[in-house]
């Protein structure tokens, strides 16, 4: 059976699950840069103290207040409208959520670094990429103040003049949306 050649910029399914995508050097550079910035935004992982009690990290409490940065607030939203329940929920879940988001972004960076122009992902790596792409879009959307109206095309955000400083972010936002959609469709096959 002849192998299907991956189309540039679109995910394709691979036998046994997972996905593959062919990216050019510029796309790899942009995606890697965005992922590194996402990892920096999310923040460092837990301190790696060899002498620390391993059970202590299991019971470590996270923050009880939502982040002030709009992008972080979008990545780590309140779980409940009620402030007290939301604070309690955040305290016990945000550290794990941050860790998962950081791990997803780092896995995507590693795959880009190892893959060259043809990136092949196992089913687990593909799910991590899906999470990282979603987090990138949420972050850019928060920075661009994207609303549902903007998503529906009722905003001038997607028809900015070329000299508008937001134009590169809008183009990245749209490109990431295409990648995300392509990966979702691939994983559903």
């Amino acid at each position: 059976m002849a192998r299907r050649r991956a189309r540039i910029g679109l995910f394709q399914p691979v036998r046994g699950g997972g996905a593959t995508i062919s990216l050019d050097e510029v796309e790899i550079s942009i995606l890697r840069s965005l992922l590194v910035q996402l990892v920096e935004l999310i923040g460092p992982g837990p301190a790696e103290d060899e002498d620390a009690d391993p059970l202590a990290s299991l019971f470590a409490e996270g923050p009880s207040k939502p982040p002030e940065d709009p992008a972080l607030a979008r990545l780590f939203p309140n779980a409940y409208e009620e402030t007290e329940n939301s604070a309690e929920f955040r305290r016990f879940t945000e550290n794990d959520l941050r860790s998962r988001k950081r791990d997803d972004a780092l896995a995507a960076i590693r795959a880009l670094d190892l893959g060259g122009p043809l990136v092949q992902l196992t089913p687990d790596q593909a799910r991590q990429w899906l999470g990282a792409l979603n987090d990138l879009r949420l972050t850019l959307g928060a920075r661009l103040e994207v609303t549902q109206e903007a998503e529906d095309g009722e905003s001038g955000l997607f028809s900015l003049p070329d000299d508008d400083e937001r134009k590169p972010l809008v183009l990245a936002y749209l490109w990431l949306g295409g990648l995300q959609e392509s990966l979702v469709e691939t994983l559903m096959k």
Side-chain angles (χ1 to χ4, degrees):
M1 179 177 196
R3 288 180 57 172
R4 275 195 318 193
R5 185 177 169 153
R7 295 186 312 221
I8 293 178
L10 294 175
F11 283 95
Q12 299 293 315
V14 294
R15 187 177 291 187
T20 186
I21 188 168
S22 181
L23 300 168
D24 65 30
E25 288 180 30
V26 173
E27 292 170 321
I28 291 170
S29 175
I30 292 169
L31 188 52
R32 189 179 194 292
S33 175
L34 289 171
L35 288 162
V36 167
Q37 291 176 58
L38 178 63
V39 170
E40 291 170 354
L41 177 67
I42 291 169
E48 304 217 2
D49 183 3
E50 292 179 19
D51 297 328
D53 179 4
L55 291 177
S57 65
L58 291 175
F59 298 105
E61 292 183 10
S64 60
K65 294 181 182 176
E68 291 182 20
D69 181 312
L72 284 173
R74 187 71 179 106
L75 290 173
F76 306 105
N78 281 331
Y80 303 100
E81 287 183 31
E82 189 179 321
T83 307
E84 185 178 321
N85 287 340
S86 190
E88 190 74 6
F89 185 81
R90 179 180 300 281
R91 233 179 59 200
F92 293 109
T93 62
E94 188 170 313
N95 285 345
D96 288 340
L97 185 57
R98 279 183 185 269
S99 180
R100 185 184 56 76
K101 289 179 179 298
R102 185 181 312 101
D103 290 346
D104 288 352
L106 289 171
I109 291 168
R110 280 191 296 275
L112 287 171
D113 289 348
L114 294 174
L118 183 64
V119 179
Q120 296 190 23
L121 306 173
T122 66
D124 286 339
Q125 289 170 324
R127 283 187 285 280
Q128 287 180 301
W129 268 64
L130 193 56
L133 290 172
N134 186 60
D135 291 342
L136 284 173
R137 285 198 77 231
L138 288 173
T139 301
L140 287 177
R143 295 285 186 244
L144 291 166
E145 298 177 354
V146 172
T147 62
Q148 186 60 44
E149 293 80 28
E151 280 280 332
D152 295 338
E154 297 175 18
S155 163
L157 190 60
F158 299 120
S159 57
L160 294 172
D162 289 341
D163 61 347
D164 191 300
E165 65 185 24
R166 297 170 297 168
K167 183 82 173 200
L169 290 179
V170 170
L171 293 174
Y173 179 81
L174 295 171
W175 176 59
L176 291 168
L179 287 177
Q180 186 178 15
E181 182 178 349
S182 172
L183 184 52
V184 167
E185 288 174 359
T186 297
L187 295 176
M188 290 176 59
K189 291 181 181 179

